Amino acid sequence: MVFNAHYLTYIDVAVTEYYRKVIGPNWLELAERNIFDLVLRRVTLDYLSPAKLDDLLDIHCRVVKMGRSSMNCEFAIKRGDELLIQAEAVQVCFDLETGKSKPIPEDIRERIREFEGLKISVE
């Protein structure tokens, strides 16, 4: 069986790929330039069934809510049609220079809204 902490790694990879798809292939440059960088504030995982060695897994990620400086994401880890893990995470846009949260850039907000089909709750 997959060690339970590895699911967080899978989720982290899914987040990276989500932003690569939504923002573009060079999205990590935004973090390097302190324009858009995310830190994890909270994550919850519900373990429904274990993944096993050599399983092919699909990890689904979507942003469901955006605040001024934070986003709530939902995740599903599946083996075929079987749901193994459900997770929720709160990520905060972080300023590396001040060590504090900062607003999500408007162009990033718009790209996420467009990608998600404007179905995001905004607070």
Side-chain angles (χ1 to χ4, degrees):
M1 290 191 299
V2 170
F3 178 62
N4 57 9
H6 292 315
Y7 294 111
L8 290 173
T9 301
Y10 302 163
I11 286 170
D12 191 54
V13 171
V15 166
T16 297
E17 294 308 315
Y18 177 90
Y19 290 113
R20 186 183 324 275
K21 175 78 173 174
V22 173
I23 297 170
N26 300 323
W27 84 275
L28 289 174
E29 290 175 17
L30 298 175
E32 292 168 0
R33 295 177 17 224
N34 201 30
I35 295 170
F36 178 68
D37 196 8
L38 296 170
V39 294
L40 184 64
R41 175 163 167 55
R42 178 178 58 239
V43 65
T44 59
L45 291 119
D46 291 320
Y47 300 96
L48 307 173
S49 186
K52 298 181 178 101
L53 180 65
D54 211 28
D55 280 348
L56 294 177
L57 303 176
D58 292 310
I59 296 93
H60 303 271
C61 170
R62 69 186 187 116
V63 173
V64 295
K65 184 165 71 170
M66 280 192 288
R68 183 183 73 80
S69 62
S70 66
M71 290 183 269
N72 292 43
C73 298
E74 291 181 345
F75 302 89
I77 298 178
K78 294 182 172 185
R79 176 179 49 229
D81 291 333
E82 182 184 7
L83 181 61
L84 306 178
I85 305 290
Q86 287 181 307
E88 296 178 11
V90 177
Q91 298 175 311
V92 177
C93 188
F94 190 75
D95 188 320
L96 293 172
E97 293 174 9
T98 66
K100 297 182 180 184
S101 67
K102 68 179 184 178
I104 300 164
E106 189 55 41
D107 62 322
I108 303 289
R109 290 174 169 285
E110 188 54 38
R111 289 179 187 189
I112 293 169
R113 283 188 202 112
E114 184 179 309
F115 183 80
E116 295 293 349
L118 304 173
K119 297 176 185 173
I120 297 173
S121 168
V122 179
E123 293 183 350

